[in-house]
């Protein structure tokens, strides 16, 4: 998946080997571990990102800060009115916070 969340197929392998070489400082093992960790975060992490953002917004509401959403029509009593761009930014921030995206070291 690229930076615009467009999926790209790089290689298709019907029976990929997940076996590691076991060699100390193996670049091959490092790459496989990193790619596997990133794939897991990509597949299972989005829900965590959404839940984390929803939890943060709910915490604001509990603290008395009212948040409206432009798509639902903000009201005068809302302290903040989030646009689609605001929500997208917050989601990206949560993804970055969770370390989702890019082959990254452990």
């Amino acid at each position: 998946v690229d930076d615009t969340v467009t999926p790209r197929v790089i290689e298709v392998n019907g029976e990929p080997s997940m076996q590691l070489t076991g060699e100390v400082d193996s670049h091959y093992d490092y790459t496989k571990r990193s790619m596997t960790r990133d794939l897991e975060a990509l597949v299972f992490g989005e829900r965590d990102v959404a839940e984390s953002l929803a939890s943060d917004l709910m915490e604001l509401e509990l603290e008395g800060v009212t948040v409206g959403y432009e798509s639902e029509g903000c009201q005068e009593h809302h302290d903040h009115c989030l646009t689609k761009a605001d929500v997208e930014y917050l989601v990206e921030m949560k993804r970055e916070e969770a370390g989702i995206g890019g082959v990254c070291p452990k």
Side-chain angles (χ1 to χ4, degrees):
V1 178
D2 66 15
D3 61 345
T4 63
V5 194
T6 303
R8 307 281 184 198
V9 176
I10 297 172
E11 177 182 345
V12 176
N13 187 338
E15 296 181 32
S17 168
M18 297 310 292
Q19 186 172 0
L20 303 174
T21 65
E23 297 172 14
V24 177
D25 296 328
S26 167
H27 179 72
Y28 181 80
D29 288 3
Y30 171 82
T31 301
K32 272 197 174 181
R33 282 190 189 105
S34 297
M35 288 174 45
T36 302
R37 189 172 30 258
D38 243 19
L39 178 61
E40 180 181 318
L42 183 64
V43 171
F44 300 109
E46 287 303 307
R47 182 172 181 186
D48 293 340
V49 167
E51 287 175 357
S52 177
L53 179 55
S55 174
D56 288 350
L57 292 172
M58 180 67 74
E59 191 173 316
L60 282 175
E61 295 275 344
L62 292 173
E63 292 173 3
V65 178
T66 58
V67 179
Y69 302 92
E70 188 177 76
S71 62
E72 296 177 9
C74 290
Q75 305 295 318
E76 285 185 28
H77 69 275
H78 289 130
D79 295 316
H80 299 283
C81 182
L82 299 178
T83 65
K84 180 181 178 188
D86 294 333
V87 174
E88 288 172 352
Y89 173 79
L90 292 171
V91 168
E92 281 304 312
M93 185 182 75
K94 284 295 180 184
R95 283 183 182 140
E96 196 172 305
E97 188 179 274
I100 297 173
V103 177
C104 53
K106 185 174 186 178

